[in-house]
Amino acid sequence: MSDTAALPNRAKKGVGLSGITAGNTALCTVGRSGNDLHYRGYNILDVADTCEFEEIAYLLVHGSLPTKAELASYKAKLISLRGLPASVKATLEALPAAAHPMDVMRTGVSALGCVLPEKDDQNPAGARDIADRLMASLGSMLLYWFHYAHNGKRIDVETDDDNIGGHFLHLLHGRKPSDMFARAMHTSLILYAEHEFNASTFTCRVVAGTGADMYSAITAGIGALRGPKHGGANEVSFEIQNRYANPDEAEADIRRRIANREVVIGFGHAVYTISDPRNAVIKEVARRLSQSAGSMRLYDIADRIEATMSDAKKMFANLDWFSAISYHMLGVPMAMFTPLFVIARTSGWAAHVMEQRIDNKLIRPTANYIGPEDRTFVPIEKRL
């Protein structure tokens, strides 16, 4: 049987363009069996808990898994790219403390694109360098703004942590994270790194298809990820979990909401039909972090709600559901949950931008017109 013939019908109600093939990619497959995810042919379950995020970023942006020597060199490069130009810092300092961190990151990327623009020829090596710089410095942008806006402090953003997740936590908390925290960040960032033609990735490809620069495409991707139906779902998930004092209270309220036909964010998926393969991995991360902290309340509530949704609605938890618990246990403020998604997904976005440039086609679908036909024009002086 051919691969195409083996694919299930993935069209789902309420998801625009669901089931429509909109292009070719060699980067990722999602849900072909109903609950699988592969990055350039590698099963997510084989890499999520064993690889470092930098290995997967290298795989997506540079095309293959690195050797030990290549990984060491890549990490050194990323460390060297953590700094921010003075004009970008000035832009970040001008943003109010009330700004949403996603808006800060969007602005930071746009500002960096003005200071260090992509060359007009958009050569692949230059595009990869921009991708690496963004992954290395997005955490620097966010946390430079955060400490300045909230504490009036201009922090040094160039830490000696050898990984992106550790760098983020170091800047956030002012100290090097534990090995357990760094490992949890690796796993989380890997799980969020790439996901085929999701809303933000497709946005990046549409922008790239016009011939726009890498910064424009990534900025657009951040904008798409801002919404609660996409990246913002992990923030909403945490708000739901934090409503309740205990699992029994959570189950009773969720069952009431289900009876009232309310939507519970964090469950179901636009492509997966059986389960989200990433959920079991991040759930175990959340359990270990909660157990280590001696605080199982939120984990137990989330676990009970997951069981309730499965029993009452036959719906499965997606990656966002236990990511919220994991990030909370790592001491990450809720408003920064989705920005961590940005740091991870920039690897996938950039890879898709470069792939779209090879295809070199403008993406311009048609629309089904549902408006009125053949209306008679009335000059303004005769309109009532």
Side-chain angles (χ1 to χ4, degrees), residues 69-321:
E70 287 170 334
L71 180 60
S73 177
Y74 189 50
K75 284 186 170 185
K77 177 185 180 182
L78 293 172
I79 289 172
S80 74
L81 296 173
R82 288 175 180 166
L84 300 174
S87 54
V88 173
K89 290 180 179 178
T91 300
L92 295 170
E93 289 180 13
L95 302 178
H100 192 285
M102 285 292 285
D103 300 338
V104 172
M105 297 185 90
R106 183 191 65 213
T107 302
V109 172
S110 188
L112 188 63
C114 293
V115 178
L116 298 171
E118 184 172 20
K119 291 182 178 179
D120 290 341
D121 65 4
Q122 297 181 349
N123 65 83
R128 287 191 289 269
D129 285 342
I130 292 172
D132 292 340
R133 182 180 292 278
L134 286 173
M135 285 186 287
S137 65
L138 277 164
S140 300
M141 293 177 195
L142 178 61
L143 293 164
Y144 183 86
W145 162 80
F146 177 76
H147 288 293
Y148 182 82
H150 292 270
N151 307 312
K153 184 179 179 182
R154 293 184 173 96
I155 65 166
D156 179 3
V157 296
E158 299 187 61
T159 72
D160 61 354
D161 300 272
D162 80 340
N163 58 85
I164 288 170
H167 171 66
F168 181 92
L169 292 178
H170 193 160
L171 292 184
L172 176 62
H173 299 308
R175 61 184 182 277
K176 190 179 288 290
S178 67
D179 290 343
M180 182 181 190
F181 275 29
R183 179 62 254 172
M185 287 292 286
H186 277 306
T187 298
S188 175
L189 294 174
I190 288 169
L191 293 173
Y192 272 122
E194 164 57 7
H195 218 233
E196 197 221 51
F197 278 22
N198 58 85
S200 57
T201 298
F202 193 63
T203 298
C204 289
R205 292 191 73 126
V206 169
V207 174
T210 70
D213 66 293
M214 177 70 78
Y215 295 102
S216 294
I218 301 300
T219 300
I222 293 172
L225 195 65
R226 174 81 155 84
K229 292 183 180 180
H230 191 14
N234 50 23
E235 297 178 30
V236 180
S237 294
F238 186 70
E239 289 175 347
I240 294 170
Q241 296 154 0
N242 212 30
R243 287 176 189 155
Y244 308 110
N246 57 63
D248 290 341
E249 179 185 319
E251 179 176 353
D253 185 59
I254 291 297
R255 289 191 182 278
R256 178 186 64 78
R257 290 173 184 272
I258 291 171
N260 290 337
R261 298 177 180 247
E262 294 183 32
V263 174
V264 181
I265 298 294
F267 292 86
H269 196 272
V271 177
Y272 297 121
T273 55
I274 298 173
S275 66
D276 185 335
R278 302 167 299 176
N279 177 58
V281 180
I282 200 63
K283 183 176 181 179
E284 177 58 19
V285 171
R287 188 196 65 78
R288 289 197 300 260
L289 290 171
S290 299
Q291 193 170 54
S292 177
S295 177
M296 298 297 294
R297 182 183 73 87
L298 282 172
Y299 177 86
D300 289 342
I301 288 170
D303 183 54
R304 179 71 69 84
I305 294 174
E306 180 187 29
T308 302
M309 289 295 291
S310 177
D311 175 64
K313 292 281 289 180
K314 301 298 183 285
M315 292 183 74
F316 54 83
N318 57 44
L319 173 59
D320 293 314
W321 186 246

